[in-house]
Structure formats: structure tokens, C-alpha cells
Amino acid sequence: MPGHRGKTKAKKPKPIVNVHSVARLPSEEFIGLVDDIERAEGWNTRVKVLCEFLQLPDLSRRSGLKKVHVNFNEVYHNIDDVYVANIGNEKITGTIIGIYTKMCADAILRDKLFQKGLVTKITPLINIPATRYLALRALTTVTHHGGVDIRKEISLESPSLLKVIQENPDDLRAAEMAISTMAHAIGAAINQEDSPAPKYIKAANIKTLIPVVIDFMRKPGVTIQLLHHGLELLTHPVLHCWSECKANSALQDLLVACLRSADLTVRVSALGGLLRLEALSSEDDQRQFDPHKLMAAIERRFPDHLVDILTDYGTMRCDTFLTMSSTADNQKAMMKCAQDKDLYSLGLKLAELITRTEFSIAEGGFQMQDPRTGRIELNRDIGLPFIMWSDALPHCARAILAKGRPGEEDLADMITAKFFIIRSRIPDAIEAAKRGLQRNPKFAYFYYVITLGKDHYEGLRSAKKGLKCPKMTPFVRFGLLHRAVELAGNLGVCRIQESSPGDRKYDEGVAFLMSAMEDAKVYATEAPPDARHMKNVLYWYICLTLTIKGPETPADLEELQVAFKKLGYADEFSVLLGTVPPRTQLRLTQQNIVKRYPTAVQEWKDLVARFDEVMTDERPISLEKAEDDLAAWLDDLHLDHGEEDEPYPQRCSHPRVSPNTVALYRCSWCSNPSAALRKCSGCEKARYCDGGCQKSHWSEHKVTCRT
């Protein structure tokens, strides 16, 4: 056989796993086993005694775990026979739990043990002082390696975990393992988009959980692992248990204070928690426009200080004037069409209005007075193929195409896309926009349409590409900037929470956040002061500034005073135009942060500073030498020759925003943040989304490119 030296006599093949059948053991041999385990010092020794007695393979090697697969039922039943026969012997039951926990490093064995009731065997040992650390360690290991179903099942044991750390307030080691377990388990059970099952909410006992976890985080001497898992645990219930979380001021203050941590991961985790806290109690943003309210506001006249602001920017460039004039122009064009029946001319006028302002195509219809009743009714006999004005759009698009004039196909596709947007048929609008881009990749409005879709990555990429188009109206430009801010902001927060520093996705997340803040700054500086999305962009700008700059932000928020003032003006414009600023998720988050920030950072500064201590890895439990030296054995999984293992994700100390890293994940032409950029084959430094970006950049890049 390979690897053997010399010749040997043929032997009968041995079973892959040779285990004793406990049911057939002589009583004196079984008694001897019990005595050996009783006399053994430490869990590691006890586990070794039982493994040798049952002739189990080396469970610290994958080859050993694979052997258990072959004969799992017999292996399990023999181990379980020992467990059942000694159910009252904490040393033996604890030893068996240690063996099972080691097997859980293998996903298939873990699932099989889970189906056999592993969790119900572990939980009782939590309440026994001698086996408490062992049991908690087992739960920590199983939740760390376990799948969603196993974590959900373990989350139902949260009452027992809470009870034991409440009854042992000075046992920081038990608290570290219990909080780590609950962070993994409760997160799988309730931190999801859909409403979790009531049993998981009940088991989490949020009203008790939050203050208990915060109390332990504040204790001196707690490990960095407890702090990070504690923060993770506190952010899990904020979505579906928002009312309980909002009732706890300390939780919200802690999350706000964490925005000043030197660790970017902590800051983004806190922002993510604060955003989810408002998700289900917020209102949708304004979607409709009422021209009558606009006219009423203009007739009332704006306050002098708002008039001065509009005048300084340029009244004719402001949204209020553009919307009012576009509404009037739309009405005139419709009346003209009613007379001349020229759908082609109407289409050209509508194409101009579409790129002027968002609500340029006002809904309406041709009206007449009924001579018999005197009532104003829609005139259905005007001689046009539409009654409501918005229904004119597809007819106008076809009229433009029928003319066949070069370059006007873009206008037809734009009108078609706008019609679908008005009808909330966004996928159809995107299809029309993509059709137009195949013909003309420099038509900015098509990119704007694509940003409205559900694919955030495609939307962000389109926003960035659109902003590089040579010609566009201010409305289209600021629309692209607004979408770029929202999409990059959301993607950045999600990306960083889903990865670890050093990962490609993490660096991409940082690039997303930087891109969002840069675009928000441009929008807030250059967009009209009465722009409808000014409020949303400023919400993002304030939140991102605090998150990205962290401790560099003055506690009194002095550098954000200009943004606060602009936001105040934007609110005033909104109210005057007939819309009370909606209580959107972003608005509520920004208000909560700003309201709490000065006092929260002062109250929690000592705890937040401890997040910034050196952290070498993110293993769920420290490997300190203690009486349950089984921990070292459980973490020791050797690789056989030729096998590769997946390393633990490493967390670097104090992750900071690196301009070089950020530039690495931005397209050299359109600045789109992405981890999937292609290098220039000449210099291998410039990076591009695709061949289109590379071609557009070549006139500039060829000067520095090494060819």
C-alpha cells in the first residue's frame, strides 16, 4: 500500500471505527470506566479517557471525523448509552458533551447530533457550577459553527442563559460565553426581514435582555469579545422589537455614542442598528405632487428669508419655479394638441419637460361643462386617442418613431420610460431605458431610470455612469446624485456589517460610504435649496459624516451646523408647498442621533474607548487557561495532508478609512465603487467597470498609461 515500507502479511480488514457496545460491557469494566473518569483531572483528560475507552478516532483531525460518519449510529448509541447510564454524574455527562461539541466542527455530524437532541443535553449542565463553563463553551461552539436552524433552536434557550448570568453577576467569563451564544442565536431567530415566529420573540425577552447585556458591558474587566458580541446582540432586536428598544433610552444612547468609536466596524454596526430601529415605525417618502398646493403657496408668498435664499441661488433655477412653469407649459401643450391634433409636436414638448423637473407631466384631462347639468366633466369626444393627459405619452412616443428622424429615437424611449414610471411599472421603464442605452450610451436620463430599480448594485453603477454623460439637465444630474447617495449609503452599511476588515467586501463597503458622502456633499452644495430630495440627502450627509469621521467629529457637532441650517430651510420649503416632511426612516434616524449625540458621547465615552483596544481575532471565546482546559482541545482541529482549512476572519485593531484602499475600489472613469473592476492591461493601475468606461477614459488616461 502507498506509504508502507517493506512487505507485511495480509491481515483481515478492521472496521473503520471500532467501538465498544456499552450494552455488552461487563459491569466491572463499566465501573472501571466511571472510576477512571472520576479520578481524572480536568475535562481534557476525562475526554481522552472516554475516547480511548470507546476507541473513537482522533476527533481533532478531519480524517477522524470522516470515520465517525461511516458508523455514526453505532458511535452515537454507544456514547449515548454511557450518557443515559450516568445521567446524574456531572463529570461523565460533561465529558460526553465535550465529545459531541468536538464533533460539531463537522457540519454533517453537527446536524445529526442536533436531530438527536444535542441542545437538550447541553442546557441542563448550564445550571451546574462544575459543568457551567463546559456547557456554555459547547453552546458557543455550536452556534459559531451551526446553521440557521440550529441557531434558532438554541435561541429558545435564551431564558436559561439570561437567568444564569443574572444569578452570577460577577462571573464575566460565563457572561462572555452566554452573550456570544445569544448574539449568534438570537440574530438568526429574529434579525430577519420577515416577522419572526412569536416563540423566538418571547424567548429573547427583550425587556430583560437589553439592560442585562448593557450592565455587563459596563463592568470593568470585560473582554473585547464580550463588548463586540454585546453590541451585536443589542442590534438584533431593534427591527422587530422596536417598541421595546425605543423604550430603552440607554440602548439608544449607547448606539449613538458608538458613532465616536475609533473602530469603523463599531460605528457602522451602531448606525445600522439605529437605522433598523426606525424602519417599521416610519412613513413612506412623498411620492405624489399636488399642483394646487403649489399655486396656493405661491399666492400666499414665501417668507422674506426664504425668498432671499431662492434669489441668491437664482429663482429661475429653483424647483418651485421650474415645477410651476413646467405644469403651465404642459397644460398649454395639451391645449394646443387638442386644436392641431399633432402628437409629434406634443411629444417633442413633453420630452423637453420630462428632463426639466420630476413632476413635469401633471395629470389632468380635457374638460367641458355639461349643458344640461352644468357640471364639469371630462370631454371624451376631443378627437384624440387619449382622455387623461398622462395617457398621451405612449401615443407621442409612437408618433416620434413614425417620423423616423435621426436622434429622436432616444426621445421616444425616454417618453415611454416616463409613462411606465408614472404608472409605477418600473421594470418596464428600465427595459425601455436599457433599450435606449444600447443605441446611445451617453443619454443620461436612461441611467436615471435604471437607478429606480430593485437591483441596488446596477442602480449605483448606472448613477455613476450617468453622471459622466457630457450633456444633462440640472434635474437629471441632481436626480442621479440623489440616487447615488441613497444606493451607496445603503450598500455601504450592509456590506461592512456582513464582512470583516481585510475582506474584499469590507473594503468595497468603505468605498460605498465614501462615495455616498462625497456625492451628498456635492448635492447639498449645488442643488436648489427647495429641491424635494434635499432633506433626504442631508439626512445621509449628517449620518455619514458622523460615521466616517467618528472621533474626529467635535462632540458639539459644530462642523454640521451649516447642514442643520440647510435642513431647516428644506423643511420650511416643504411645509410651505403643502407637504409636512414625512417621518421617514432616515429622518427619524438623523433626528434621534442629533438629539442624543452630545450627552450620549459624554456618558458612554469610557465604554466606547474600550472598543478601541487591540483585538487580534474574533473567535467567540478567549483561550485562557482555566479548569475547563477542554476549550483548547475543542479549538484544535488539525488538517490532514493536502487539506485546506478556512481561516477565522481576522479583525484588525481600529479599522480606519484609507484613501488608497478607497481609490482601489473606484472606477477610474465614473468613480463607481465596486470590487469587480477590471485593470487596465497597460499600466495595471487604472480600474474600470467595463470596456465602455475604459474607452471613455482613454483620452485622459493614455497620457499616463504605460503601453
Side-chain angles (χ1 to χ4, degrees):
M1 292 179 63
H4 282 238
R5 295 181 180 179
K7 295 182 179 181
T8 57
K9 293 182 179 180
K11 295 182 180 180
K12 293 181 179 181
K14 293 183 178 181
I16 295 179
V17 179
N18 181 21
V19 293
H20 285 300
S21 176
V22 175
R24 300 192 298 269
L25 281 177
S27 58
E28 62 274 10
E29 188 172 347
F30 187 78
I31 293 172
L33 168 65
V34 175
D35 290 342
D36 288 344
I37 291 178
E38 288 284 353
R39 288 194 298 268
E41 292 292 334
W43 292 113
N44 196 19
T45 306
R46 293 170 195 143
V47 167
K48 187 178 296 184
V49 168
L50 184 54
C51 284
E52 291 177 353
F53 176 80
L54 294 174
Q55 297 184 19
L56 296 178
D58 187 351
L59 299 180
S60 66
R61 294 183 178 275
R62 285 186 173 174
S63 58
L65 295 174
K66 289 178 181 178
K67 291 177 181 178
V68 176
H69 278 281
V70 177
N71 213 12
F72 175 78
N73 288 332
E74 185 176 353
V75 171
Y76 175 79
H77 286 306
N78 279 282
I79 297 175
D80 198 53
D81 285 343
V82 178
Y83 180 91
V84 173
N86 296 272
I87 194 68
N89 187 320
E90 59 195 39
K91 290 186 178 179
I92 292 181
T93 54
T95 299
I96 291 172
I97 293 303
I99 293 175
Y100 285 156
T101 305
K102 188 64 176 179
M103 290 182 181
C104 285
D106 181 283
I108 296 176
L109 292 179
R110 178 191 66 226
D111 292 342
K112 289 182 176 181
L113 290 170
F114 172 68
Q115 294 170 4
K116 295 287 187 181
L118 174 61
V119 175
T120 60
K121 288 181 169 65
I122 296 174
T123 305
L125 301 183
I126 296 173
N127 299 313
I128 303 173
T131 57
R132 178 170 299 141
Y133 289 165
L134 174 72
L136 290 172
R137 172 68 189 191
L139 287 176
T140 302
T141 301
V142 172
T143 53
H144 182 71
H145 294 289
V148 173
D149 291 340
I150 293 177
R151 292 183 177 190
K152 286 183 174 181
E153 183 69 21
I154 292 175
S155 76
L156 297 176
E157 304 300 329
S158 296
S160 299
L161 295 171
L162 268 176
K163 183 173 180 289
V164 76
I165 62 176
Q166 282 181 289
E167 293 175 349
N168 299 273
D170 297 324
D171 192 341
L172 300 184
R173 189 161 176 242
E176 178 184 332
M177 291 185 280
I179 289 173
S180 170
T181 297
M182 289 189 289
H184 292 299
I186 292 177
I190 70 174
N191 191 14
Q192 56 190 33
E193 185 174 348
D194 298 328
S195 296
K199 64 179 181 180
Y200 298 126
I201 297 290
K202 181 179 179 181
N205 192 5
I206 302 304
K207 288 185 178 180
T208 301
L209 175 73
I210 292 174
V212 169
V213 173
I214 290 177
D215 284 346
F216 271 101
M217 291 176 71
R218 300 190 83 155
K219 290 180 182 291
V222 298
T223 63
I224 193 71
Q225 287 90 343
L226 186 149
L227 289 176
H228 278 275
H229 282 116
L231 179 62
E232 178 187 349
L233 178 54
L234 290 174
T235 61
H236 287 326
V238 294
L239 179 60
H240 293 293
C241 303
W242 60 268
S243 58
E244 293 92 335
C245 293
K246 283 195 171 186
N248 192 302
S249 184
L251 167 62
Q252 297 175 75
D253 286 341
L254 174 57
L255 292 179
V256 171
C258 283
L259 295 175
R260 282 187 70 80
S261 170
D263 187 334
L264 179 62
T265 305
V266 172
R267 302 199 298 271
V268 174
S269 179
L271 178 60
L274 290 163
L275 284 166
R276 292 194 300 278
L277 180 63
E278 309 294 351
L280 298 183
S281 62
S282 60
E283 301 173 352
D284 290 335
D285 200 2
Q286 173 193 356
R287 299 295 182 196
Q288 303 300 324
F289 166 69
D290 186 344
H292 299 293
K293 290 184 178 180
L294 173 62
M295 295 304 298
I298 293 174
E299 290 175 0
R300 289 192 302 269
R301 179 173 168 76
F302 287 3
D304 290 342
H305 68 287
L306 296 184
V307 173
D308 291 341
I309 293 172
L310 296 177
T311 302
D312 290 342
Y313 185 83
T315 304
M316 306 286 282
R317 299 165 54 213
C318 291
D319 263 19
T320 302
F321 175 83
L322 289 172
T323 302
M324 181 180 64
S325 61
S326 297
T327 301
D329 290 345
N330 178 65
Q331 187 173 6
K332 290 177 183 177
M334 290 297 175
M335 294 305 163
K336 181 176 182 297
C337 183
Q339 296 173 353
D340 60 23
K341 307 298 188 292
D342 189 348
L343 293 175
Y344 171 76
S345 296
L346 176 62
L348 294 182
K349 185 62 180 180
L350 293 181
E352 176 197 341
L353 295 177
I354 287 171
T355 59
R356 191 190 292 179
T357 183
E358 184 171 5
F359 299 115
S360 53
I361 310 298
E363 189 59 283
F366 300 108
Q367 297 177 331
M368 62 174 288
Q369 186 177 35
D370 190 314
R372 291 171 300 175
T373 65
R375 291 186 302 180
I376 301 299
E377 297 178 348
L378 288 174
N379 187 351
R380 301 177 183 273
D381 299 321
I382 197 83
L384 290 170
F386 61 90
I387 298 172
M388 303 304 294
W389 290 349
S390 61
D391 288 329
L393 272 69
H395 297 288
C396 292
R398 285 193 288 270
I400 290 175
L401 289 175
K403 283 288 185 180
R405 294 180 178 176
E408 291 186 349
E409 302 98 323
D410 296 335
L411 303 182
D413 282 337
M414 178 176 67
I415 292 172
T416 301
K418 180 64 175 180
F419 172 74
F420 288 136
I421 292 173
I422 293 173
R423 293 290 184 267
S424 298
R425 294 167 57 182
I426 302 302
D428 292 330
I430 292 174
E431 182 180 347
K434 288 182 176 179
R435 184 171 61 245
L437 284 174
Q438 289 178 352
R439 180 179 57 253
N440 183 1
K442 295 183 179 181
F443 199 83
Y445 187 82
F446 293 147
Y447 292 106
Y448 170 73
V449 173
I450 296 174
T451 68
L452 305 178
K454 292 183 178 180
D455 188 333
H456 290 184
Y457 292 98
E458 181 182 55
L460 178 59
R461 184 177 177 181
S462 294
K464 289 297 190 178
K465 282 180 170 289
L467 288 168
K468 296 298 291 187
C469 290
K471 293 181 180 180
M472 71 187 86
T473 63
F475 160 70
V476 174
R477 175 172 177 256
F478 292 125
L480 289 167
L481 277 170
H482 165 241
R483 295 300 295 155
V485 171
E486 287 205 332
L487 293 169
N490 280 310
L491 287 172
V493 172
C494 292
R495 263 286 196 257
I496 290 177
Q497 289 182 98
E498 295 167 355
S499 55
S500 299
D503 292 351
R504 189 184 183 95
K505 289 183 178 181
Y506 187 95
D507 292 339
E508 188 178 56
V510 174
F512 284 146
L513 292 186
M514 292 296 293
S515 173
M517 190 172 78
E518 291 168 7
D519 287 339
K521 187 174 183 179
V522 172
Y523 187 103
T525 303
E526 300 180 13
D530 60 341
R532 187 170 77 86
H533 295 300
M534 178 63 78
K535 298 186 297 297
N536 294 345
V537 172
L538 286 170
Y539 301 151
W540 270 117
Y541 179 72
I542 291 167
C543 292
L544 290 174
T545 298
L546 294 172
T547 303
I548 292 174
K549 293 191 174 182
E552 298 175 8
T553 305
D556 60 3
L557 302 180
E558 178 62 31
E559 72 174 73
L560 288 173
Q561 292 307 310
V562 173
F564 295 150
K565 183 176 289 188
K566 284 191 174 185
L567 182 55
Y569 294 147
D571 284 349
E572 288 189 71
F573 281 119
S574 182
V575 172
L576 284 169
L577 296 174
T579 302
V580 176
R583 299 174 72 253
T584 63
Q585 180 184 9
L586 270 172
R587 182 178 181 85
L588 294 176
T589 300
Q590 180 269 151
Q591 288 178 335
N592 195 24
I593 291 173
V594 173
K595 176 181 69 176
R596 297 177 180 275
Y597 195 87
T599 55
V601 297
Q602 182 64 30
E603 179 184 357
W604 295 90
K605 63 181 181 180
D606 293 336
L607 188 152
V608 172
R610 287 155 62 196
F611 272 108
D612 305 332
E613 296 173 0
V614 174
M615 184 174 182
T616 56
D617 64 43
E618 197 181 20
R619 297 193 182 189
I621 188 69
S622 60
L623 298 179
E624 60 182 313
K625 181 66 176 176
E627 67 168 352
D628 64 334
D629 54 356
L630 181 71
W633 183 73
L634 289 172
D635 279 338
D636 179 29
L637 179 62
H638 296 291
L639 299 178
D640 296 326
H641 181 69
E643 293 184 334
E644 296 182 358
D645 193 17
E646 294 182 2
Y648 282 99
Q650 296 294 310
R651 293 195 60 182
C652 60
S653 175
H654 310 315
R656 299 181 186 276
V657 178
S658 168
N660 292 333
T661 302
V662 172
L664 190 65
Y665 290 93
R666 301 280 285 275
C667 174
S668 299
W669 170 244
C670 71
S671 298
N672 175 47
S674 174
L677 301 176
R678 49 193 284 184
K679 288 183 180 180
C680 169
S681 60
C683 64
E684 296 189 348
K685 292 181 180 179
R687 287 171 165 79
Y688 301 100
C689 298
D690 51 32
C693 283
Q694 187 169 13
K695 182 178 179 180
S696 298
H697 191 224
W698 179 242
S699 60
E700 298 178 22
H701 180 56
K702 64 182 179 182
V703 178
T704 57
C705 182
R706 177 177 58 83
T707 58

